[in-house]
Amino acid sequence: MAATRTANAIPATLIPGDGIGPEIVSAAVEILDALGAPFAWDVQPGGMAAIEKFGDPLPQSLLDSIRRTRLALKGPLTTPVGGGFRSVNVRLREEFKLYANLRPARTLIPGGRYEDIDLVLVRENLEGLYVGFEHYIPIGDDPQAAAISSGVNTRAGSRRIAEFAFDYAVKNRRKKVTIVHKANVLKALTGIFLETAREVAKRYEGRVAADERIVDACAMQLVLDPWRFDVIVTTNLFGDILSDEIAGLVGGLGMAPGANIGEEAAIFEAVHGSAPDIAGQGVANPLALLLAAAMMLDHVGRLDEATRLRAAIDAVLREDRVRTADLGGKATTKDMTQAIVARLR
Ligand code: NAI
Ligand code: MG
């Protein structure tokens, strides 16, 4: 890896992961090398591979590595069924306070239901209705007659995610941020988010435009006229739902990248899982992970390399028409890797 020898190499943790993980991660590393990307990889086992070696899908060595590099590219991890392991993704989110979930959606293959989609959803990842403050109330002889859930949004958490969204817009040359809420009904819980985000928006006036939508109207407009959106920022539950909706606009979760970003670390990955049904066959589509790698380049300020990588992917899909089976083609992971490397030369 040439990049590891250069003076301004950026240390980063690399987690090959489970199932198709090692296949798509090695494809990504080969392509990033061809691109001349600056990362110096510290390879760390996670998931099933780490359970075999350390008895934990998220071993201390992996956590220590991310704490040191503050940057990771992660293959999918299989969550073992039973055995009492907590979701590795939730653990990573808590461990490194990864408060921002970033989910872009961009049209990659023309001829789908929508052309020229290019939008980014910024989801608050630690607060809201996902804090898990839930309980039942017994009434009469029914111990679970009523269910209660409390959401928590703080001014500090709302400010942090709004600032993240507006900063992201500035750095990535985006024009508008739409604040999505339900403050007409959830007056306190999402009112605090809306008010705080408005204050942040004011500070970016003249640099990034801002507008607001109520979440249900936003969901409809995303289907009717998605081109009116650019960056969307919203609370945890709404973000969970809308991020899958925007992935649907560009053909589903199969090629969707995602990032979880916090003050202590940033972790980039494909949204899909370890695909055990096709693991080891050499046919996995490496593009979601590669698009996550492009986000990682954006994150470290290497916008030109990120742009070159996305352009190479576009050229391979649109002009060379090299596509894996999940995209209706016949190409293997290796064919796809070679085609992208050829486009980078
Ligand atoms: P999955 O995303 O692994 O697979 C769903 C379907 O999509 C399968 O038919 C698979 O072959 C196909 N697929 C997924 N990625 C593909 C790719 N790159 N190229 C070609 N086809 C692809 O979801 P599933 O089966 O529900 O989960 C499998 C395992 O992955 C589970 O243990 C789950 O916990 C884990 N998982 C991990 C995630 C992560 O680490 N971020 C996210 C989602 C699931
Ligand atoms: Mg979700």
Side-chain angles (χ1 to χ4, degrees), residues 16-17 39-40 45 47 56 61 89 94 111 126 133 151 171 190 218 232-233 244 253 261 263 285 294 308 311 331:
F39 304 116
D56 184 349
S61 50
N89 293 316
E94 289 171 0
L126 298 176
F133 292 168
K171 281 194 202 127
T190 89
C218 176
I232 293 171
V233 63
D244 280 14
L253 296 177
I261 301 178
E263 272 146 32
N285 183 352
R308 276 179 58 218

Side-chain angles (χ1 to χ4, degrees), residues 113-131:
R113 215 167 280 173
Y114 298 91
E115 300 289 351
D116 301 321
I117 299 286
D118 184 9
L119 44 92
V120 178
L121 189 129
V122 178
R123 163 187 172 191
E124 203 293 320
N125 222 5
L126 298 176
E127 302 194 324
L129 276 161
Y130 284 17
V131 292

Side-chain angles (χ1 to χ4, degrees), residues 20 74 76-79 89 269 271-278 285:
I20 60 169
K74 170 178 166 288
L77 305 182
T78 299
T79 299
N89 293 316
E269 65 182 335
V271 170
H272 65 70
S274 55
D277 52 335
I278 58 164
N285 183 352

Side-chain angles (χ1 to χ4, degrees), residues 22-57:
E23 300 165 51
I24 58 176
V25 165
S26 75
V29 167
E30 192 178 332
I31 290 162
L32 288 167
D33 278 350
L35 181 69
F39 304 116
W41 302 114
D42 178 21
V43 181
Q44 291 288 337
M48 299 306 275
I51 292 179
E52 281 156 30
K53 214 170 156 195
F54 302 98
D56 184 349

Side-chain angles (χ1 to χ4, degrees), residues 99-281:
Y99 65 86
N101 180 242
L102 199 55
R103 285 273 297 267
R106 190 169 65 86
T107 301
L108 290 168
I109 300 178
R113 215 167 280 173
Y114 298 91
E115 300 289 351
D116 301 321
I117 299 286
D118 184 9
L119 44 92
V120 178
L121 189 129
V122 178
R123 163 187 172 191
E124 203 293 320
N125 222 5
L126 298 176
E127 302 194 324
L129 276 161
Y130 284 17
V131 292
F133 292 168
E134 294 196 299
H135 63 280
Y136 290 102
I137 295 189
I139 300 175
D141 57 5
D142 185 351
Q144 300 188 336
I148 308 239
S149 176
S150 304
V152 177
N153 283 331
T154 63
R155 204 178 289 289
S158 300
R159 189 180 301 119
R160 184 166 68 172
I161 195 69
E163 283 172 350
F164 179 92
F166 281 89
D167 277 341
Y168 176 89
V170 170
K171 281 194 202 127
N172 293 278
R173 300 159 197 161
R174 296 269 171 177
K175 302 209 153 38
K176 185 174 75 176
V177 175
T178 302
I179 302 160
V180 173
H181 63 91
K182 187 76 189 179
N184 52 328
V185 174
L186 300 170
K187 288 186 179 13
L189 185 65
T190 89
I192 196 171
F193 170 77
L194 174 61
E195 278 163 32
T196 311
R198 274 181 185 157
E199 284 164 23
V200 172
K202 225 170 262 154
R203 284 195 269 125
Y204 286 82
E205 238 168 39
R207 287 187 289 160
V208 183
D211 65 358
E212 304 169 0
R213 285 283 184 295
I214 295 174
V215 62
D216 39 357
C218 176
M220 181 189 66
Q221 287 166 357
L222 275 170
V223 171
L224 290 178
D225 184 13
W227 303 277
R228 70 169 68 188
F229 296 99
D230 189 351
V231 176
I232 293 171
V233 63
T234 191
T235 48
N236 207 341
L237 171 63
F238 301 156
D240 190 6
I241 298 166
L242 294 181
S243 61
D244 280 14
E245 187 185 0
I246 65 167
L249 296 174
V250 296
L253 296 177
M255 287 206 293
N260 288 293
I261 301 178
E263 272 146 32
E264 296 170 10
I267 301 177
F268 298 82
E269 65 182 335
V271 170
H272 65 70
S274 55
D277 52 335
I278 58 164
Q281 296 176 17

